[in-house]
Amino acid sequence: MNEVSFHTFRADAALAIANPHLQSAVDGATLKFRRDRLRALADLPDVEAMRDHFKAMRAATLANLSEHLEQFERQALAAGAHVHWARDAAEATQIVIGIARQHGARLAVKAKSMTSEEIHLNAALDEAGITPVETDLGEWIVQLAAESPAHIVVPALHKTRQQVAELFTREVGRPLSADDIPALTNEARRALRKKFLAAEIGISGANIGVAETGSIVLVTNEGNGRMVSSVPPVHVAVMGVEKVCPTWDDAAVWLELLARSSTGQPLSVYTTAITGPARDGDADGPRELHIVLYDGGRSGMLGTGYEEVLQCIRCGACLNHCPVYQEIAGQTYGHAYSGPIGAVLVPLLHGLEQYEALPHASSLCGACLEVCPARIDLPRMLLDLRAEEVARGVIAPPEQALEKSAAWLLGHRRLFGLLTDVGRVFQRPLLSKDGLRVPRRLNPAGKRRLPSLAPRSFHALWDELAAEEEAVAGAAPVKRAVRAPSRGRIAAVIGASVVPLVVLWHLLRRRGGKR
Amino acid sequence: MTDPKRVAIMVTCMVDQIMPEVGVAAVRLLRRAGYTVEFPVEQTCCGQPFFNSGFRAQAADLAKRSLDIFEPYDAVVLPGGSCAAMIRKEYPHLLERWPGGTARAEALAARTYELSEFLVHVAGWEPAPAARAPRVTYHDSCHMNRLLGLGAESRALLRAAGCEIVEMHESDRCCGFGGLFSFRIPEVSNAMTQEKVRRANTTGAEVLVSADPGCLMQMRGFAHQTGMRLAHLAVLLEELTR
Ligand code: SF4
């Protein structure tokens, strides 16, 4: 299920790249976020020091995670909340369904929650006869379209207003115009208001869990988080265990960085702190508050080289700055977590074998590390995952053989020189001004022209260059006459049968569908 | 810094086989800056392609090989930021598996320079302004910029040589190369490269300059879609300072 092989990833990426709506939507949104982030961070007196401090706090919390979680539990219980522990997705969804059933719930309103996406809560609720309705506008659009989010912060980033109008038309059963955005928003508000009032249960995630008071913090821009957590009589918050933080001072730093890194806002429009259920005399609020502390493989990363990934606060800055994400958007990653953080986190959560392509969905440019508020070294972890793929044989044997022999060859300078000289002979029919002209179907670089080997290597040129008169003015350009190297002739005979066969075999394997 | 006596050039495998003119230009520039340059002929590859695709053992072997070859020199200069970053940032931990390897690698790392870095900070060399220098736009290659913190050096050299620099939108956006990434997932790699070349093209500059052979090779794959010349920093500077 949901397997992302090289083959599927490449096919989906090609579709995304060929989709002009998607391209302009992603380009526009991510560019705006990049600009706004810079502006918002410039407000802070010393943002680099704050990031260092934040990282140190996150690392220290994770180093003593169980203690902080236990304190969180004690304080949450003292405030009147119920606390549940879920080892995996099945346990988490069962707990939520159990609570819903206890209250005879048929309808659940939901605030946007990536953890809920991770455990496929909507599908589980549906199956249990409880209808989940997403109330974050973007998340609702994605739900109506039966898709998964294209971005961890802006789920419907990829949808045009025409597509939104069509979806809403189908939902309300009346034709709606794509040109009247306020009308569309009003329709959504009207439809969702009814759901808020009718729902027996509200389900949210939690951006932060503050241990010293057992509080959870919800960060939203539409106020729907407040509705979900205060209108229905029961509120369930599913929180990843890594989201705990010791004190409110720590939470303050967290909030300073979260919205700025994410959408470039100094603070999200709504920041909701919830400590326990409604007390006697409160005008509103749920009678019951349940907090589900969800592990889902996180504790297994503690103490490993991947622990750092648990410092993530899901701000999405790494997506907005990733040149790969900007080309392909979220759905190509085959999981709700996309972009650089998804490329690292998803294989860790669900297995390298199932998501073999994700650690390779990066040019290792380092933009993610540069902008991450917690300075999570995602490139380093991508490299480690790739090394694991090699060690565990996830990378197919033919490719392993090819890479290993290439490395061996590069360790033998003369032989390498000989073989490249053979290549110089073979490439002749394909030479053009801008590289090799290889038929598209046989070109492993797709539509990019392959580089050609220079007529003579630097090694071959060195003697002339060494002898070159050291006259600063008027050094003559080195001659680049094409001539067949003599040692190449011997190699040509041997290599003639081998090189094209190896290349062809490799190409056919790559094209041969799912590996 | 004491002036290094023995300077070795590590041309990198890509320059050796695909664009030797970059190595030639680098050697000439170093000579113009007053150095005698040696070329240890046993050199091949720094190991980065294998390190980046997860083949650690193979990368480590090539790293060890390069360490043995370049250790005798006072300074090692590379006309490529990515390979320089490989030696500086990855060799120390890759060479852990040999006794004393890390210490030797750290010592080598401290003597390893990217070309523009060496010319500006060690040689203190400045090109004389050329009579007819082109308008250029400069691509900040990722490892050179983010791992070595270099970019101002290239720009300073270009300006001193008389070039006007027209910055492109997000000059530090990746060109799409990423080593084997460009073959594993060529669809995405190519889309990134076309975007990069397009942005460079809109500056109206005559030359798109990069200090990294990898980026240059990648972008040249789409050079036929632009009227711009794509040149390595060393090649352009060498031409302008003849
Ligand atoms: S990895 Fe860093 S930048 Fe990416 S979502 Fe997490 S916190 Fe934000």
Side-chain angles (χ1 to χ4, degrees):
Chain A
M1 191 184 82
N2 251 351
E3 198 188 61
V4 180
S5 66
F6 281 99
H7 182 71
T8 59
F9 186 88
R10 289 177 57 180
D12 289 348
L15 286 178
I17 290 164
N19 179 343
H21 292 306
L22 181 81
Q23 290 298 313
S24 69
V26 178
D27 283 349
T30 55
L31 178 62
K32 182 176 183 310
F33 288 144
R34 291 198 295 279
R35 292 201 167 132
D36 291 353
R37 170 184 170 275
L38 273 184
R39 246 193 307 262
L41 287 176
D43 292 346
L44 296 172
D46 188 349
V47 62
E48 299 311 322
M50 186 180 274
R51 286 169 72 189
D52 290 339
H53 169 82
F54 182 61
K55 180 171 192 69
M57 183 276 281
R58 293 291 287 141
T61 307
L62 291 168
N64 276 309
L65 186 61
S66 51
E67 251 172 59
H68 295 294
L69 283 171
E70 280 163 22
Q71 187 195 11
F72 176 84
E73 180 185 36
R74 272 196 310 276
Q75 296 301 93
L77 289 173
H82 301 261
V83 178
H84 312 258
W85 298 81
R87 236 182 314 241
D88 53 26
E91 277 189 18
T93 51
Q94 276 321 304
I95 291 167
V96 179
I97 289 167
I99 300 166
R101 287 218 170 112
Q102 232 175 27
H103 294 84
R106 316 280 315 160
L107 179 65
V109 281
K110 294 185 67 215
K112 180 179 153 351
S113 151
M114 290 310 293
T115 313
S116 147
E117 290 281 352
E118 182 184 332
I119 62 177
H120 298 290
L121 184 56
N122 286 0
L125 287 168
D126 259 331
E127 224 166 277
I130 302 153
T131 309
V133 175
E134 295 289 351
T135 65
D136 171 271
L137 193 55
E139 196 72 36
W140 192 46
I141 292 168
V142 166
Q143 187 186 25
L144 292 178
E147 290 178 16
S148 73
H151 189 287
I152 65 174
V153 176
V154 257
L157 159 122
H158 60 306
K159 289 280 178 224
T160 61
R161 60 199 156 96
Q162 277 76 18
Q163 290 169 318
V164 173
E166 279 164 33
L167 288 168
F168 283 11
T169 297
R170 217 174 57 200
E171 179 65 13
V172 303
R174 257 179 309 112
L176 296 171
S177 159
D179 297 323
D180 193 351
I181 292 180
L184 282 177
T185 323
N186 269 333
E187 278 304 332
R189 181 171 293 137
R190 237 194 313 273
L192 290 175
R193 274 290 140 103
K194 284 190 212 139
K195 307 283 184 190
F196 282 125
L197 294 171
E200 301 91 351
I201 183 169
I203 302 172
S204 75
N207 290 85
I208 312 173
V210 186
E212 67 177 343
T213 53
S215 314
I216 55 170
V217 181
L218 297 184
V219 174
T220 70
N221 267 326
E222 295 165 13
N224 62 315
R226 281 200 180 168
M227 300 286 278
V228 163
S229 61
S230 61
V231 179
V234 181
H235 173 206
V236 184
V238 184
M239 177 177 111
V241 288
E242 83 282 15
K243 292 291 176 61
V244 72
C245 91
T247 67
W248 276 103
D249 282 347
D250 300 325
V253 183
W254 192 315
L255 289 169
E256 286 273 30
L257 289 172
L258 176 58
R260 285 190 169 89
S261 304
S262 179
T263 48
Q265 296 164 285
L267 204 59
S268 292
V269 180
Y270 297 89
T271 301
T272 310
I274 298 168
T275 311
R279 291 165 195 78
D280 293 339
D282 280 0
D284 53 18
R287 286 195 316 273
E288 270 181 37
L289 169 64
H290 294 262
I291 302 170
V292 183
L293 295 171
Y294 170 67
D295 184 349
R298 287 154 174 78
S299 58
M301 294 176 211
L302 292 171
T304 73
Y306 300 108
E307 179 177 308
E308 195 188 2
V309 82
L310 298 176
Q311 296 169 7
C312 173
I313 58 172
R314 309 282 188 267
C315 72
C318 58
L319 280 70
N320 300 334
H321 290 76
C322 176
V324 171
Y325 175 87
Q326 286 167 49
E327 297 298 344
I328 62 178
Q331 277 137 356
T332 307
Y333 292 80
H335 193 282
Y337 296 129
S338 56
I341 179 64
V344 170
L345 190 57
V346 173
L348 288 173
L349 292 175
H350 305 292
L352 272 173
E353 282 75 7
Q354 282 71 49
Y355 290 91
E356 61 166 8
L358 292 191
H360 302 271
S362 163
S363 62
L364 302 174
C365 79
C368 48
L369 169 59
E370 192 173 69
V371 299
C372 174
R375 300 193 201 282
I376 300 171
D377 197 344
L378 294 170
R380 168 73 45 200
M381 284 185 265
L382 289 169
L383 283 166
D384 288 347
L385 287 170
R386 291 178 188 186
E388 263 191 56
E389 285 195 352
V390 172
R392 279 160 51 176
V394 179
I395 294 294
E399 191 172 336
Q400 296 231 12
L402 201 76
E403 289 225 33
K404 285 176 182 166
S405 27
W408 180 84
L409 198 61
L410 281 162
H412 296 77
R413 201 258 305 173
R414 274 166 215 282
L415 193 59
F416 176 66
L418 200 78
L419 267 190
T420 46
D421 284 344
V422 175
R424 288 185 168 77
V425 179
F426 277 101
Q427 73 173 1
R428 279 193 197 158
L430 306 172
L431 279 177
S432 83
K433 193 169 99 357
D434 308 305
L436 297 181
R437 257 179 222 281
V438 181
R440 175 74 67 85
R441 286 192 40 236
L442 287 177
N443 186 354
K447 44 182 182 169
R448 185 174 75 244
R449 277 203 196 148
L450 289 173
S452 56
L453 293 163
R456 295 168 71 196
S457 69
F458 187 90
H459 272 93
L461 292 170
W462 174 249
D463 284 345
E464 284 166 42
L465 186 63
E468 194 175 275
E469 270 303 321
E470 185 43 23
V472 170
V478 176
K479 281 193 216 80
R480 292 187 50 173
V482 180
R483 58 158 203 201
S486 54
R487 66 178 178 190
R489 288 189 199 284
I490 316 157
V493 183
I494 316 158
S497 49
V498 183
V499 178
L501 273 180
V502 172
V503 173
L504 202 68
W505 177 54
H506 181 60
L507 284 177
L508 289 177
R509 277 204 63 93
R510 291 190 76 89
R511 305 265 149 192
K514 206 164 102 54
R515 293 184 308 158
Chain B
M1 179 166 308
T2 54
D3 214 24
K5 303 267 173 310
R6 296 189 68 196
V7 175
I9 183 145
M10 179 173 190
V11 291
T12 77
C13 54
M14 208 177 289
V15 165
D16 180 34
Q17 292 299 330
I18 292 167
M19 44 185 92
E21 67 278 8
V22 172
V24 171
V27 169
R28 287 181 179 156
L29 287 174
L30 289 166
R31 285 177 180 163
R32 279 171 212 169
Y35 294 90
T36 305
V37 185
E38 296 182 52
F39 174 66
V41 292
E42 277 308 313
Q43 63 178 280
T44 52
C45 169
C46 69
Q48 182 174 210
F50 306 97
F51 179 69
N52 282 359
S53 57
F55 290 81
R56 294 260 164 103
Q58 285 70 24
D61 285 345
L62 287 169
K64 174 68 167 48
R65 194 174 175 278
S66 299
L67 175 71
D68 291 340
I69 293 169
F70 288 98
E71 210 167 27
Y73 297 90
D74 299 327
V76 181
V77 181
L78 296 91
S82 199
C83 303
M86 174 75 188
I87 297 179
R88 294 239 291 251
K89 303 288 170 184
E90 315 296 352
Y91 274 23
H93 68 85
L94 270 177
L95 286 156
E96 253 169 28
R97 55 194 87 186
W98 286 275
T102 299
R104 287 173 62 196
E106 277 166 357
L108 180 70
R111 305 197 298 274
T112 300
Y113 304 89
E114 182 278 331
L115 178 68
S116 71
E117 179 185 29
F118 185 85
L119 289 173
V120 171
H121 297 304
V122 181
W125 180 73
E126 193 172 285
R132 275 210 318 270
R135 276 156 58 90
V136 303
T137 191
Y138 178 74
H139 162 59
D140 281 289
S141 49
C142 300
H143 292 178
M144 185 156 157
N145 169 32
R146 297 203 178 89
L147 295 178
L148 300 181
L150 298 170
E153 291 76 4
S154 298
R155 287 182 173 85
L157 289 167
L158 286 166
R159 271 199 202 99
C163 294
E164 181 198 339
I165 301 178
V166 200
E167 294 291 349
M168 68 180 103
H169 174 46
E170 297 180 326
S171 67
D172 62 351
R173 188 187 201 266
C174 178
C175 74
F177 177 48
L180 264 184
F181 167 73
S182 66
F183 289 99
R184 281 193 202 276
I185 308 180
E187 297 78 7
V188 181
S189 164
N190 291 346
M192 288 161 69
T193 311
Q194 285 178 287
E195 175 69 14
K196 184 83 206 182
V197 171
R198 194 187 59 71
R199 290 182 184 193
N201 219 3
T202 55
T203 61
E206 297 153 70
V207 190
L208 166 53
V209 179
S210 169
D212 248 294
C215 309
L216 206 59
M217 180 181 83
Q218 174 79 10
M219 294 188 292
R220 277 187 179 157
F222 290 100
H224 54 283
Q225 297 183 350
T226 152
M228 296 180 97
R229 176 180 172 203
L230 276 66
H232 189 280
L233 175 76
V235 170
L236 186 61
L237 284 177
E238 194 275 330
E239 285 173 10
L240 293 173
T241 54
R242 272 183 197 160

